[in-house]
């Protein structure tokens, strides 16, 4: 893992992704007591940072493997990201989606040219359907977070942020499967100046917090959080990176997530997913720790169901 | 009215406003069949283009008049804009607000340092309270739309847009009191290359559409539109400008406004007021007319009540 690997990834995926804007708000800075820079990956292609990792992973396949296609199972953003990145590269994408996935998400994958297979809504069924496709096509399976090329791709958002705000003291991201926080921590370590990376996680799905304490990958018995992107657990590839490069993880209550979400919608005028509000909620929860600092927050995505808002 | 007046206004207000970003979306361009550039005044200070006109009007007062303060009556964005612009300039702002104004809007004016007087919720009461303040303080009354300095200020948003997208064929804005569309049409005329300005208006409050036909300022008997910023009527200062420089006005149904609003929220990931969706709804309603053109749309503001969304 080195600086050059990140730089190569950024160069490789550059033309397949948007360079997203960095926004800030005087009002939110006053509320936070710090200078906060929001890296708006909700404006990324297909609406989330996952586009970066998907593009990175597909670009890293051999030409032979690209011809056979890629497969993933996802009910959310990673399926859309793989479909769109594959389309941009002329690669066939097979997306296994649980029958419980909203019609709108299926439509999005289809619009991006993905070949959808509907499975029963269990992990076993999704994995079995994926394996069937791999067996019959030779397609390469892409994991949304536990894959080094994906992790490096996700890290490019923080690299761009550090290019604009070189003096950041802290980078913050939500922690779900661990790809974003791991990639961000690498970017902060190699491209920041004494910049530490801190994750935000719901108390309701605090597997990563507990994993850092126990030293092994913990799971969640339940995950009743509005931050639906953060219900997943870490993997054996990203966990060692997180152990080495992430400073700490701050847990937040559900009400804190909703309050932070509302503040960002109201003050920043941007549509973001509940998961994105978790790091800002973490900042507000431990305000004194961040007083006067320069904080970069990765706003991970903006694909929300407007019919089901918590306001 | 000339090019220099607009340029002077832009120079004068420059340091008191944000230069807002211009966003576009591949998806929305596909849906519209045109290239659409959204000038995001929802990211403007206090969340709306009104900041431009308020700053312009206050900066244009003599030093003596600035010392006496300014007064306006408003239940919405202009009150906030005057309060914030006045605060930035060290000028006292008296804002008359109807007792029906939501607490959150009163709080915003107060946060910007405005001195609030609550009046009964009728136009007469608001005007009487304003007059009382003028009589006792000598403060200058600022009108939100029927004022040349305000109109020139509002036109600076389109000037900035044309600096980034010089080849626009069409500029579109919502039409409420007429200040934004008049200023935009001036900017399009003096700074565009054969760029026409078209207004969008709800059928439910189509006073401007009818005014252009009859040649005199028409009013609305009712104004049952979700586009609450567009319930007002034109004034004797902006109407002649609109007659001379605005190409036409397109009317839209309420369902079209809500559909356009949802598209912009979902695809652009930005929080905008219902009024802002009216020009995009007008574009979609008359798609063939705009096919293949380059369209600039002024997104007028983003101050919405998240507890009362139409989704």
């Amino acid at each position: 893992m080195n600086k050059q690997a990140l730089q190569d990834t950024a160069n490789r995926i550059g033309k397949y992704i948007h360079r997203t804007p960095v926004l800030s708000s005087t009002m939110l800075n006053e509320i936070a007591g710090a200078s906060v820079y929001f890296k708006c990956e909700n404006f990324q292609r297909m609406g989330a940072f996952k586009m970066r990792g998907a593009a990175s992973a597909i670009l890293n396949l051999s030409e032979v493997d690209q011809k056979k296609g890629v497969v993933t199972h996802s009910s959310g953003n990673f399926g859309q990201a793989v479909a769109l990145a594959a389309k941009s590269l002329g690669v066939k994408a097979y997306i296994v989606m649980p029958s419980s996935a909203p019609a709108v998400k299926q439509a999005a994958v289809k619009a991006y040219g993905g070949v959808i297979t509907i499975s029963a809504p269990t992990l076993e069924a999704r994995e079995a359907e994926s394996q069937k496709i791999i067996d019959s096509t030779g397609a390469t399976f892409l994991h949304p977070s536990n894959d080094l090329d994906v992790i490096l791709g996700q890290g490019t958002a923080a690299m761009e942020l550090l290019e604009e705000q070189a003096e950041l003291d802290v980078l913050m991201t939500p922690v779900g499967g661990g790809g974003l926080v791991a990639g961000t921590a690498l970017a902060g370590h190699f491209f920041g100046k004494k910049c530490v990376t801190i994750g935000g996680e719901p108390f309701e799905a605090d597997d990563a917090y507990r994993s850092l304490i126990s030293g092994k990958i913990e799971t969640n018995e339940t995950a009743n959080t509005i931050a639906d992107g953060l219900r997943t657990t870490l993997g054996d590839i990203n966990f060692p990176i997180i152990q080495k490069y992430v400073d700490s993880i701050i847990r937040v209550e559900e009400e804190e997530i909703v309050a932070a979400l509302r503040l960002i919608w109201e003050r920043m005028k941007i549509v973001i997913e509940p998961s994105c509000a978790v790091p800002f909620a973490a900042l507000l929860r431990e305000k004194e720790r961040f007083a006067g600092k320069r904080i970069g927050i990765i706003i991970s995505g903006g694909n929300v169901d407007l019919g089901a808002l918590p306001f």
Side-chain angles (χ1 to χ4, degrees), chain A residues 244-264:
Chain A
K244 182 161 180 192
Y245 293 104
V246 172
D247 175 86
S248 51
I249 290 176
I250 296 172
R251 295 175 299 172
V252 292
E253 304 286 357
E254 293 300 298
E255 316 84 76
E256 293 174 314
I257 300 172
V258 173
L261 185 69
R262 185 162 193 152
L263 267 178
I264 294 174

Side-chain angles (χ1 to χ4, degrees), chain A residues 3-192:
Chain A
K3 190 167 176 172
Q4 195 56 44
L6 274 164
Q7 191 58 62
D8 290 345
T9 301
N11 296 343
R12 202 179 295 133
I13 68 175
K15 64 178 175 179
Y16 302 102
I17 60 165
H18 288 327
R19 188 181 175 104
T20 53
V22 177
L23 299 179
S24 57
S25 154
T26 311
M27 279 277 195
L28 289 191
N29 286 349
E30 279 172 20
I31 291 168
S35 298
V36 189
Y37 302 93
F38 294 93
K39 174 69 171 170
C40 290
E41 289 292 298
N42 55 324
F43 296 144
Q44 187 51 266
R45 292 183 72 195
M46 57 62 60
F49 74 94
K50 302 250 174 182
M51 186 66 192
R52 296 174 182 271
S56 169
I58 299 174
L59 279 161
N60 228 42
L61 295 177
S62 69
E63 227 172 285
V64 172
D65 281 341
Q66 285 191 359
K67 280 205 178 111
K68 292 180 187 160
V70 292
V71 57
T72 195
H73 55 76
S74 163
S75 57
N77 285 333
F78 194 66
Q80 291 181 46
V82 168
L84 181 57
K87 185 187 177 194
S88 306
L89 288 159
V91 170
K92 197 155 192 175
Y94 304 93
I95 315 294
V96 177
M97 301 187 81
S99 52
S100 55
V104 59
K105 299 222 169 180
Q106 295 185 31
V109 168
K110 209 170 283 177
Y112 294 139
V115 180
I116 297 177
T117 303
I118 300 293
S119 78
T122 63
L123 183 60
E124 292 69 29
R126 288 159 62 164
E127 287 181 341
E129 285 298 338
S130 302
Q131 193 56 52
K132 266 195 234 167
I133 294 166
I134 294 167
D135 293 344
S136 65
T137 63
T140 303
F141 182 76
L142 300 182
H143 192 281
S145 54
N146 200 39
D147 174 309
L148 200 51
D149 293 318
V150 169
I151 292 167
L152 290 169
Q154 318 305 31
T156 60
M159 285 173 65
E160 288 176 10
L161 177 50
L162 284 163
E163 276 172 32
E164 289 185 39
Q165 295 293 337
E167 309 290 333
L168 290 182
D169 301 303
V170 182
L171 280 164
M172 298 183 85
T173 77
V175 183
L180 178 62
V181 76
T184 301
L186 289 173
H189 177 76
F190 288 115
F191 292 88

Side-chain angles (χ1 to χ4, degrees), chain A residues 203-226:
Chain A
F203 272 101
E204 290 288 340
D206 65 349
D207 54 285
Y209 177 87
R210 288 180 284 108
S211 300
L212 280 185
I213 291 172
S214 71
K216 62 186 176 61
I217 296 171
E218 303 286 346
T219 57
N220 300 306
E221 287 196 9
T222 61
N224 293 320
T225 175
I226 187 178

Side-chain angles (χ1 to χ4, degrees), chain A residues 261-280:
Chain A
L261 185 69
R262 185 162 193 152
L263 267 178
I264 294 174
W265 281 55
E266 281 185 345
R267 302 297 184 167
M268 305 281 299
K269 319 294 183 191
I270 57 176
V271 171
I272 65 167
E273 297 172 18
S275 303
C276 307
V278 169
F280 189 59

